[in-house]
Amino acid sequence: MILTVASGKGGTGKTTVATSLALAITDISPVLLDCDVEAPNAHIFLQPQFDQRREIGLPIPEVDAVRCTGCGRCAEVCQYHAIVVMGGKVLVFPELCHGCGSCTLQCPEGAIEEVPNVLGVLEAGPAKDGIYFAQGVLNVGEPMAVPVIRELKRWRPFPEGRTIIRDAPPGNSCPVVETIQGADFVLLVTEPTPFGLHDLRLAIQLTRELGIPAGVLVNRDGVGDDGVEEFCRKEGIPILMRIPLDQRIGKAVARGEALVEAFPEYLPQFRELYTQIQSLIDSRQDAALPQAMGTRPSNDAKAGWS
Amino acid sequence: MKLAITGGTPQFETQLERRFGRCAYFIIVDTETRAWESFTNPAADARGGAGTQAAQFLANQGVEAVVSGDFGPNAFTALDAASIQMYSAQEGQAETLVDDFLAERLERVTGSTGPAHHGGGRSQGGRRR
């Protein structure tokens, strides 16, 4: 099973939830992937011993000035405007390059070669209680998170078949889409405030667009208003767990303690959360069977999901 | 010489548009004859790389100097490589900015004047935390 913990709004408790969920299901030796490559911090709570490391880069063009005639074809075909030709001189802007290779393919002189441009690193190793941990770290100042996340998702320094929890970056932009894609379920952590609701709406739209089932975890329950509650009821989105607003939790997390370690009374709830998610995925797969056999699923069956 | 001014509308009377890469129009003026022509900036709505694309466009037009407000680092590097001189102004109509340019009243830009923007399509203006 692959589960992505996302939120829309930042600071709602994604990492708190992702790490505590992992610590609650250590009996199945889960894998936690910290996909928030711009600011990974789940390692603070799970204390991995990194013993694997890989650099991640994109192939960027390098121009052979001798063979280049300055024709400008490379600049014409680059849809990211990462290469310009000025007075016969070629300039490459690595941070704009997406590594698509069009310039290399289109150069009539064969004057362009692709060289790796390092964007960041992947690190992995065993963490607390049999959890396996991996994270991506984007180099500071590098704007392109997606290639690092994509490689982190593909990387298998651990055996296949283990449950994977992906801790997503905040927001709803490309890095979040990448972290959600390919998951079996998205757990959206929100807080019951107008800000939380605003970004939850966007996050729900995103999961529907991607066709991945989602459920909500309300964190800091008791603060704010009923907006999130009403929205979930109207849209048929299951609220799977609630964590009350409790200063003691905030203080423990700020000290670098995982929620379920500081407050073990939450362990059963996180285990129950995992079981619920699993059964939601299973029931969806069962519901999808008639479709595979040629019957259309009813809209009712889809309502809570897509 | 050919002077480009970044504008919000395609007229010689347009107010200066202070964003170089994403201005709506370029007013390109022959400073000897004052003959002018307006061009839609092909990079105005670019997802990323607006600065480099706009610079490439001006270089292809044979422009030798440009007046705008701010030049990002990529735009600066590209314009500098094309030996296009950059001048910065706060405001003004394209028409009067030509006079300011000829009277050497404009500030010559010798380094990037703004941060990198990295487009609207990818980072969405930074992290949401």
Side-chain angles (χ1 to χ4, degrees):
Chain A
M1 186 222 282
I2 300 174
L3 166 69
T4 293
V5 181
S7 72
K9 186 184 176 300
T12 55
K14 282 179 298 300
T15 302
T16 300
V17 167
T19 53
S20 279
L21 183 58
L23 286 163
I25 55 169
T26 50
D27 52 314
I28 58 164
S29 311
V31 177
L32 193 127
L33 300 187
D34 194 343
C35 297
D36 188 1
V37 302
E38 285 178 78
N41 61 354
H43 63 94
I44 295 168
F45 304 99
L46 297 180
Q47 293 165 14
Q49 303 291 316
F50 292 126
D51 55 16
Q52 307 279 322
R53 196 172 185 277
R54 253 185 70 192
E55 284 194 328
I56 299 302
L58 276 184
I60 63 159
E62 192 174 76
V63 181
D64 179 348
V66 179
R67 289 161 86 173
C68 174
T69 61
C71 72
R73 180 69 184 151
C74 51
E76 263 171 53
V77 299
C78 181
Q79 60 169 310
Y80 306 104
H81 314 295
I83 188 163
V84 297
V85 181
M86 298 292 192
K89 236 176 24 195
V90 183
L91 281 181
V92 177
F93 294 84
E95 71 277 20
L96 297 177
C97 179
H98 284 51
C100 73
S102 300
C103 54
T104 310
L105 286 170
Q106 290 283 320
C107 176
E109 310 302 324
I112 302 180
E113 204 186 329
E114 293 184 321
V115 296
N117 176 42
V118 176
L119 303 175
V121 294
L122 305 185
E123 296 169 316
K128 268 183 195 168
D129 303 337
I131 296 170
Y132 194 84
F133 186 91
Q135 67 177 13
V137 185
L138 189 68
N139 288 348
V140 171
E142 189 59 62
M144 255 195 293
V146 170
V148 177
I149 298 170
R150 193 182 298 137
E151 289 305 317
L152 177 62
K153 284 165 60 183
R154 282 190 195 144
W155 201 27
R156 284 292 173 274
F158 51 86
E160 286 284 352
R162 289 172 74 167
T163 287
I164 297 172
I165 300 169
R166 298 178 186 158
D167 189 9
N172 288 293
S173 59
C174 298
V176 178
V177 174
E178 184 61 45
T179 307
I180 290 177
Q181 264 170 349
D184 299 304
F185 194 89
V186 182
L187 179 62
L188 294 167
V189 182
T190 190
E191 55 178 38
T193 63
F195 299 116
L197 176 58
H198 177 271
D199 286 4
L200 177 65
R201 279 180 199 277
L202 297 173
I204 284 289
Q205 277 177 30
L206 182 59
T207 59
R208 288 181 174 168
E209 188 78 27
L210 294 170
I212 298 175
V216 164
L217 185 152
V218 178
N219 192 15
R220 299 189 197 110
D221 194 25
V223 76
D225 56 28
D226 296 335
V228 165
E229 203 84 18
E230 259 172 55
F231 172 73
C232 289
R233 196 179 329 116
K234 253 183 32 208
E235 298 286 327
I237 302 155
I239 295 181
L240 301 173
M241 186 173 159
R242 291 164 211 272
I243 302 171
L245 176 68
D246 182 343
Q247 244 187 39
R248 294 175 308 150
I249 296 176
K251 283 183 177 165
V253 171
R255 282 195 303 267
E257 289 172 48
L259 166 62
V260 294
E261 284 183 332
F263 303 97
E265 60 265 35
Y266 281 96
L267 276 169
Q269 284 191 60
F270 274 100
R271 287 192 193 115
E272 172 59 23
L273 171 67
Y274 182 76
T275 310
Q276 266 187 293
I277 290 172
Q278 204 157 32
S279 65
L280 284 170
I281 295 171
D282 290 346
S283 66
R284 192 184 195 229
Q285 277 162 356
D286 292 346
L289 280 179
Q291 192 178 18
M293 294 188 293
T295 22
R296 290 167 68 102
S298 76
N299 282 334
D300 292 349
K302 275 169 70 183
W305 293 120
S306 43
Chain B
M1 79 189 292
K2 267 191 169 181
L3 173 71
I5 296 160
T6 55
T9 59
Q11 291 94 28
F12 205 19
E13 298 78 32
T14 180
Q15 282 294 322
L16 177 77
E17 161 79 66
R18 297 200 78 244
R19 301 173 308 163
F20 169 73
R22 294 188 183 276
C23 70
Y25 296 96
F26 288 114
I27 311 296
I28 299 183
V29 191
D30 181 325
T31 52
E32 278 87 56
T33 64
R34 293 181 79 86
W36 64 275
E37 206 176 340
S38 75
F39 296 86
T40 302
N41 175 11
D45 298 319
R47 288 196 308 153
T52 54
Q53 191 186 2
Q56 179 78 70
F57 176 76
L58 293 189
N60 293 350
Q61 296 296 325
V63 164
E64 291 160 83
V66 54
V67 180
S68 188
D70 287 310
F71 298 90
N74 290 336
F76 178 84
T77 305
L79 290 166
D80 195 47
S83 303
I84 296 175
Q85 297 168 18
M86 289 158 265
Y87 292 87
S88 178
Q90 287 301 318
E91 55 182 1
Q93 289 185 319
E95 209 175 350
T96 53
L97 287 167
V98 175
D99 299 325
D100 291 339
F101 171 76
L102 290 171
E104 297 180 8
R105 283 194 292 262
L106 295 177
E107 182 195 347
R108 177 85 184 263
V109 174
T110 54
S112 165
T113 58
H117 302 297
H118 298 307
R122 259 185 354 233
S123 302
Q124 299 282 2
R127 288 171 66 81
R128 306 180 64 182
R129 275 234 186 241

